[in-house]
Amino acid sequence: MEDLCEDLADLYVESRVTAPGDAYRRPSRQNFMDRLTTDMRRPGFAMVIAETDRLMGCAFGFPVRGDGSWWACFDGTLPRDIDQLTLSGRVFAFGDVLVRPHPQDRDLARRVQERLLTEHQASLGVTLAGRADPATLAALRSWGWLDIGVFRRPAGATTLRVLVLPVGERTTARLEGLVTLPEGGGPGGP
């Protein structure tokens, strides 16, 4: 895994290229490496890698503990269906989904996400994204993620969007009524 970390950091940088004039400053390569190192130490950490002649994409994360502690910073009332999935151990937190920019990125992103969720028998994926990072939010939404609210971390002014990725028709139907995506980005604004 140590040998792969540098390649993953390169993929992170390439997949997060900032458009000219974009005011948002993406977290640094070192920040990514620190987050990856932290996530790798979590119980149940898993990663799926897609490669051809080089690394093309990956998704990684860990199972959300059934005690609900992962949701402690959720602003508002957690939807009951999500709370029930968490208690049953069927939620998987994605640390990141990285895809090298190319014409097939939606399909590749979908495949690595689905593979990771299937391997963990999860019914719901969850991830966090910076409110001020419209490119990442747009990519996640184009890959099927749904915006359900915000996380407010008490140790700072950081507010993050909470997105979920339902797996299967039954889970999608159960969550359909609670997700809205107005121009402002969903519940709680952009």
Side-chain angles (χ1 to χ4, degrees), residues 80-92:
R80 190 170 60 94
D81 292 336
I82 293 175
D83 190 42
Q84 289 173 344
L85 288 170
T86 301
L87 291 172
S88 70
R90 308 274 308 197
V91 178
F92 188 86

Side-chain angles (χ1 to χ4, degrees), residues 17-28:
V17 173
T18 304
D22 188 349
Y24 179 71
R25 183 174 165 89
R26 301 197 189 306
S28 70

Side-chain angles (χ1 to χ4, degrees), residues 15-153:
S15 69
R16 298 295 198 265
V17 173
T18 304
D22 188 349
Y24 179 71
R25 183 174 165 89
R26 301 197 189 306
S28 70
R29 175 188 176 98
Q30 186 58 51
N31 178 277
F32 168 78
M33 295 286 283
D34 293 345
R35 284 188 303 111
L36 177 59
T37 301
T38 299
D39 283 353
M40 286 171 47
R41 293 183 181 128
R42 294 179 188 267
F45 173 83
M47 178 181 289
V48 171
I49 294 173
E51 56 188 346
T52 54
D53 58 337
R54 64 184 179 147
L55 186 60
M56 296 302 292
C58 80
F60 63 86
F62 51 91
V64 172
R65 291 178 37 194
D67 65 4
S69 60
W70 193 87
W71 297 101
C73 295
F74 187 79
D75 188 14
T77 303
L78 185 65
R80 190 170 60 94
D81 292 336
I82 293 175
D83 190 42
Q84 289 173 344
L85 288 170
T86 301
L87 291 172
S88 70
R90 308 274 308 197
V91 178
F92 188 86
F94 281 81
D96 222 327
V97 178
L98 307 173
V99 178
R100 192 173 303 281
H102 62 84
Q104 306 298 322
D105 67 345
R106 281 185 63 174
D107 188 50
L108 180 59
R110 181 189 54 75
R111 288 190 337 236
V112 296
Q113 292 169 128
E114 285 178 4
R115 174 91 181 262
L116 202 49
L117 291 170
T118 300
E119 287 179 2
H120 283 272
Q121 300 176 343
S123 297
L124 187 71
V126 63
T127 195
L128 304 174
R131 286 179 60 168
D133 186 357
T136 298
L137 289 167
L140 289 166
R141 290 173 182 145
S142 77
W143 298 336
W145 290 84
L146 306 171
D147 198 323
I148 65 162
V150 296
F151 258 39
R152 297 193 195 282
R153 295 223 167 119

